[in-house]
Amino acid sequence: MKKQVLIVLGLIVYLSSFAQTPFLTEKKNIKEVREIENQLQSVFIGFDTTRVQQDYFPGAVKDKDYYPIKFKRTNDDFFPELFVHYYYDENDSSVVCASYDWEIMNYVQNIFTDGHRFETEQKRKKEYLKKYKEVKKDVINSLGEPDKIDESKGDEGYFYKLEWFKEDIDVLILFSFSTKLKAMGPAKFGSYRIRLKLEYK
């Protein structure tokens, strides 16, 4: 038992000691990731089925099915809730990419019947900006200032992109918040998302 506790504590060390949300800062395998998420009392959702863009992570192929392991964090009080996807090498189960997403589309099944969710999020600009700044600060505390910064605010909203390029890890933060909703017939929709993506080398 003592040995198991020490192993878990050792794994937690590889999570950034961020003030708000722990993020995996070193390459691990799926078994280790499950132990970490269990320690954080995350909810295991299962193995998701998804397709990603070409080079979404190293070696990713367009139109190929991937099966990342998915968790919902319970220690984060922001809404939309935080879902974590770990993409892994099918040969040795080592994690190649982790995606941490606060995304309102997780709660939208149909924009024609769930459009009220966009209208609700549109009123939460201060909350989204606060959360974005927390995530940004935490990554800076761990990795230093971004290598690339694009914090553009236009007529339609906020669309930010931050990038870090390190020896063992590349990090991307995307933030989108629509101040104006777009129309599709009777439906209105917008983009309300914070994503932190880490690629392990």
Side-chain angles (χ1 to χ4, degrees):
M1 176 62 73
K2 183 180 292 185
K3 182 179 179 181
Q4 291 177 333
V5 171
L6 289 175
I7 290 174
V8 171
L9 289 175
L11 291 173
I12 295 297
V13 168
Y14 292 105
L15 293 172
S16 173
S17 56
F18 291 166
Q20 300 297 325
T21 305
F23 301 107
L24 189 67
T25 57
E26 291 193 16
K27 192 168 188 174
K28 293 295 172 185
N29 61 43
I30 288 299
K31 180 181 178 181
E32 292 169 320
V33 161
R34 295 190 73 154
E35 291 173 347
I36 289 170
E37 293 295 340
N38 287 339
Q39 181 68 15
L40 295 172
Q41 299 183 331
S42 300
V43 176
F44 173 59
I45 304 298
F47 288 87
D48 212 359
T49 302
T50 187
R51 293 186 177 187
V52 299
Q53 297 177 346
Q54 186 81 20
D55 298 323
Y56 178 77
F57 54 81
V61 179
K62 184 180 179 181
D63 295 331
K64 177 182 177 180
D65 287 336
Y66 289 95
Y67 307 96
I69 188 170
K70 182 178 181 180
F71 296 88
K72 182 175 73 173
R73 289 281 176 88
T74 60
N75 60 353
D76 188 295
D77 59 3
F78 185 76
F79 182 87
E81 295 172 291
L82 172 57
F83 287 88
V84 187
H85 289 83
Y86 294 101
Y87 296 84
Y88 53 91
D89 187 316
E90 295 177 358
N91 295 316
D92 61 7
S93 296
S94 62
V95 175
V96 295
C97 175
S99 180
Y100 300 78
D101 294 282
W102 297 262
E103 166 68 84
I104 195 58
M105 287 303 295
N106 288 325
Y107 301 87
V108 176
Q109 298 296 322
N110 186 312
I111 62 172
F112 294 98
T113 58
D114 298 332
H116 63 282
R117 290 196 176 275
F118 300 114
E119 294 176 353
T120 299
E121 299 310 291
Q122 187 185 20
K123 301 172 184 176
R124 300 179 60 221
K125 182 178 72 174
K126 289 184 179 180
E127 296 170 63
Y128 272 86
L129 284 170
K130 179 182 177 182
K131 186 65 178 179
Y132 164 75
K133 290 175 182 177
E134 288 175 354
V135 176
K136 175 182 175 180
K137 179 182 177 182
D138 290 341
V139 177
I140 287 175
N141 286 343
S142 179
L143 299 177
E145 294 294 327
D147 295 296
K148 287 188 177 181
I149 302 175
D150 181 3
E151 294 185 322
S152 302
K153 181 181 181 300
D155 293 338
E156 296 185 353
Y158 299 79
F159 303 96
Y160 293 175
K161 182 178 180 180
L162 307 176
E163 295 179 272
W164 289 257
F165 306 105
K166 301 300 180 182
E167 182 178 352
D168 299 320
I169 190 172
D170 290 339
V171 179
L172 170 70
I173 294 179
L174 294 175
F175 170 61
S176 58
F177 183 93
S178 300
T179 53
K180 294 182 180 180
L181 298 180
K182 295 182 178 181
M184 181 183 291
K188 293 183 179 181
F189 63 94
S191 179
Y192 302 95
R193 178 183 71 173
I194 302 170
R195 165 172 286 174
L196 170 63
K197 184 165 74 77
L198 304 97
E199 298 178 10
Y200 310 98
K201 302 176 183 178

